[in-house]
Every structure is written in structure tokens, then in C-alpha cells.
Amino acid sequence: MTEQLIETFEDGVATLTMNRPEARNALTGEMGSALSAAVRRCALDPQVRAIVLTGAGGAFCAGGDVKGFAAGTSRGAAPGQGSGPSVEQRIAGLRSGMEVVKWLHEAPKPTLAVIPGPAAGAGLSLALACDLRIALDTAKLTTAFSKVGLAGDYGGSWFLSQLVGAAKAREIYFMADVITGAEAAALGIVNKSVSAEELPAVAVAYAKRLAGLPTVAIGYMKRNLNVAAHATLSEVLDLEATHMVRTMMTADHASAAKAFVEKRAPEFAGR
């Protein structure tokens, strides 16, 4: 357990709150390890039907610990700054830590990023890895990497390309301009942008709605959509046929079919 990540659970929603408000929730090794473990655990827990990722103190996540990079104390010593892990060890360590975005993207249940303020660098990448995003309309979002001479990590280049296309993703990465939550919504980077007064209630309502969906079907739906990003039509048709038949065998489908006949709203149990 660590104070750098707060975990709560209510009404089927697991909320993971990055908790270093004094540093705008910049990632540390401790926070990253806790976040990876928590996302994996929630992804595999049948009681969890939606995962929310957010940040404390009016920020989402400022990305990596740039002060640590400068001092050579974050992710190993920098070149020319004394002994430390080898380049190969540093690459392996970073790649291992980046698995968290794969879990967010592939978890068999919906994942939602609630962005109450700045999201930069790897912090923005974490938000992009989630299925859906709600942002404060004035929140500041930026890839940031080019401004500190870095190439980027945590899958942001892949996720952003999927969302806005190759040319726009290159512009956003190369220039590292700051865009607001409202501008991000217009670009399709976030699903909703709302005012500070609306954000808490909208986020809770949205998360509860996600948790009330047919969880098994949503998991298969995510697999279809993820594969569709790179597969052929025939491959997607094969996958859809398999997953459609599997979801026809769920209790949620049987319950929903009965509700349809009875002309009432379905209630899903996630089974």
C-alpha cells in the first residue's frame, strides 16, 4: 500500500486516484508500481464493473518526474552522471512499467479517465489509454515530451494516432502545444468537457452508467474494437461471430431479452 494512490470502490466502480497533489500527481516509481498492480487487480475482479482513473488536488497527472530526470535519480542515472542501470536495464524497466496502459486499454470492462486539471506527458498517455475521458473544460493537456527533449512513452503516440489520425498526432507531439479540455473535446481526444461545477456529478453519473452495462458484452466489444484497429475485415467478422455467440449465452442477455418482451428497461448483473 502507498499513500501515492488512493483506491475506493462503490456501486461496482473502482476509483484509482493518483495522490501527489503537491507535484500535480507526477509519476514516481512507487506510484507507478501501485497503479499497475491496482489496474490489474481491478481488471480481473468480477465485482469491479468499471474503472475510473483520476488525480487529486485539481490535477490529473503531470507525467514523469522531470526533476528526477535532471538529477539522474528517476529511472536510473542519466548518461554521464555516474554509475547506474545499463541502457538495456532502463529500457526493460520502463517497458515493464508501461504495461499499465495495456491493462487500461484491454481490461474486460470500461475504463474512464476523469481529468480535473493538468494532464501532461505520460499522464496524458494514461488518460488516452482509457476507453473514455471526461475533462474539465479549462484543463490543460499537452504531450510535453518535445519540450524536454524526450520522444514519449506510455503508448501516447499509438493512442493519439488512433483518436485524431497520423497528421494531427504528429502536430500535437512535435509542437507540444497546450490545449484545453474544451479544445480536446472538439478534436475528439476527450468524450466530454464540462465546467468545474459540473465535473464531480457528471463523472459519478457517467461511471455508474458504465458500471450498469452488460460487463461481459462490453469486454468482448472492447476486444472487437481493439482488434478492428489493425485487423482485416474477415478477421473482425470471425471475432464478432465468436463473441456474439458467447454473449448470447450470458445471463445478462437472457435477462435483457425477457425485459424487451415485457417492454421494460433491462437490469444487468455483469454475468
Side-chain angles (χ1 to χ4, degrees), residues 2-6 17-20 26-32 34:
T2 173
E3 293 181 353
Q4 294 187 14
L5 184 72
I6 300 170
T17 304
M18 295 173 282
N19 187 41
R20 295 186 67 224
L27 287 167
T28 64
E30 182 179 337
M31 182 193 289

Side-chain angles (χ1 to χ4, degrees), residues 27-228:
L27 287 167
T28 64
E30 182 179 337
M31 182 193 289
S33 295
L35 183 60
S36 293
V39 171
R40 286 196 302 269
R41 185 172 62 253
C42 291
L44 299 173
D45 186 344
Q47 300 301 313
V48 174
R49 297 180 60 189
I51 301 170
V52 172
L53 180 62
T54 191
F60 184 76
C61 175
D65 180 7
V66 178
K67 291 182 179 179
F69 297 161
T73 59
S74 182
R75 300 179 189 171
Q81 291 186 322
S83 62
S86 67
V87 170
E88 291 76 14
Q89 289 171 325
R90 293 171 65 190
I91 291 171
L94 177 56
R95 179 62 183 85
S96 177
M98 287 161 59
E99 279 293 295
V100 64
V101 298
K102 188 175 180 181
W103 279 98
L104 287 167
H105 183 62
E106 298 181 357
K109 56 200 63 175
T111 56
L112 171 67
V114 176
I115 306 170
L124 179 59
S125 298
L126 285 169
L128 297 176
C130 294
D131 298 314
L132 303 166
R133 285 155 293 283
I134 297 175
L136 178 68
D137 53 10
T138 57
K140 295 180 178 180
L141 283 61
T142 177
T143 54
F145 295 111
S146 71
K147 292 187 175 179
V148 288
L150 296 174
D153 57 6
Y154 279 75
S157 55
W158 191 88
F159 295 120
L160 194 59
S161 295
Q162 295 290 323
L163 288 168
V164 300
K168 193 64 177 179
R170 281 164 169 74
E171 177 188 331
I172 292 171
Y173 258 79
F174 294 172
M175 304 305 182
D177 291 333
V178 174
I179 60 176
T180 66
E183 291 169 335
L187 289 168
I189 296 172
V190 304
N191 301 84
K192 291 177 180 290
S193 67
V194 298
S195 67
E197 294 75 17
E198 297 174 299
L199 184 61
V202 169
V204 169
Y206 207 73
K208 286 185 176 180
R209 184 177 180 187
L210 291 174
L213 296 174
T215 312
V216 176
I218 294 298
Y220 283 128
M221 198 177 292
K222 283 185 63 170
R223 288 176 64 180
N224 292 345
L225 292 165
N226 289 347
V227 169

Side-chain angles (χ1 to χ4, degrees), residues 216-266:
V216 176
I218 294 298
Y220 283 128
M221 198 177 292
K222 283 185 63 170
R223 288 176 64 180
N224 292 345
L225 292 165
N226 289 347
V227 169
H230 56 77
T232 65
L233 176 58
S234 291
E235 289 170 334
V236 173
L237 292 175
D238 289 342
L239 197 64
E240 285 184 343
T242 299
H243 293 165
M244 190 69 169
V245 170
R246 291 191 180 280
T247 52
M248 286 176 177
M249 301 165 64
T250 63
D252 275 345
H253 169 65
S255 174
K258 183 179 180 182
F260 179 83
V261 171
E262 296 174 354
K263 297 183 179 180
R264 56 180 175 81

